[in-house]
Amino acid sequence: MVEPAPRRILVIEDDEGYQELLTSTLSPHYEVALCATVEEAFAKIDSEKFDLIISDINLQDKSGLEILLKLQVNGRLKECPVLLCSSQHDTDTKQLAKNMGAAGFIEKPLMPLPFLDEVGELLKRVAAGGRLPRILVIEDDEGYQELLASTLSP
């Protein structure tokens, strides 16, 4: 029996400490490519196939949210989910990321085992064709917006 090819993950992170943490956590289980800039990342995305992209939001050259936008515009977000990581813990940033199509959002500092579990679950869901449905809620009351967002979010 032939072993399936390891899942390929592109990590976009400009902080050397987090580069090391992400690589050492993921590489025993997945094939990991590392980029420090959005420009480098798109060179890799255009030439290679990845099963998941993990990106920091606050990068030196651009925002990780710009990666989401570009992938959504060119239709590639359907092929490869994006998991965002950030030290920004505000709900507006999380909600914006989800609205833009992020498959998930993880707050820094990262804890290696829960992070690895999250990545594994996300890859299983995608492999099973179980991308989360997108729901458009039109509501002007902020209280109801928050209630619906917390109820409908995984």
Side-chain angles (χ1 to χ4, degrees):
M1 187 169 170
V2 176
E3 287 286 320
R7 299 284 191 167
R8 298 194 72 226
I9 297 176
L10 175 62
V11 173
I12 309 164
E13 175 62 66
D14 56 0
D15 179 273
E16 289 181 14
Y18 272 106
Q19 287 176 349
E20 176 61 32
L21 176 65
L22 292 167
T23 303
S24 65
T25 301
L26 294 168
S27 60
H29 310 279
Y30 306 103
E31 186 179 320
V32 178
L34 180 65
C35 295
T37 68
V38 173
E39 185 178 330
E40 278 181 75
F42 274 108
K44 284 201 179 284
I45 291 167
D46 290 340
S47 64
E48 301 176 43
K49 183 180 180 332
F50 295 97
D51 298 295
L52 177 64
I53 296 171
I54 299 172
S55 178
D56 186 13
I57 287 182
N58 298 315
L59 298 162
Q60 289 180 5
D61 63 336
K62 293 186 179 179
S63 167
L65 295 172
E66 290 180 59
I67 295 167
L68 277 175
L69 181 61
K70 187 171 180 180
L71 290 173
Q72 194 163 56
V73 167
N74 68 21
R76 307 248 337 246
L77 192 57
K78 293 176 186 171
E79 302 168 14
C80 183
V82 176
L83 178 63
L84 291 175
C85 302
S86 181
S87 56
Q88 292 179 250
H89 297 199
D90 62 286
T91 56
D92 290 341
T93 301
K94 291 178 193 176
Q95 193 59 49
L96 179 61
K98 285 184 180 183
N99 290 346
M100 292 179 70
F105 188 99
I106 295 182
E107 294 179 358
K108 290 180 178 179
L110 299 175
M111 301 304 292
L113 290 178
F115 171 71
L116 195 56
D117 288 344
E118 176 83 15
V119 168
E121 287 301 314
L122 179 58
L123 287 170
K124 281 182 199 173
R125 189 173 71 226
V126 171
R131 299 280 319 247
L132 291 176
R134 304 283 316 266
I135 300 171
L136 173 63
V137 175
I138 302 172
E139 176 59 60
D140 62 349
D141 183 284
E142 288 185 22
Y144 282 124
Q145 289 173 3
E146 289 178 23
L147 176 65
L148 288 168
S150 66
T151 303
L152 296 173
S153 295

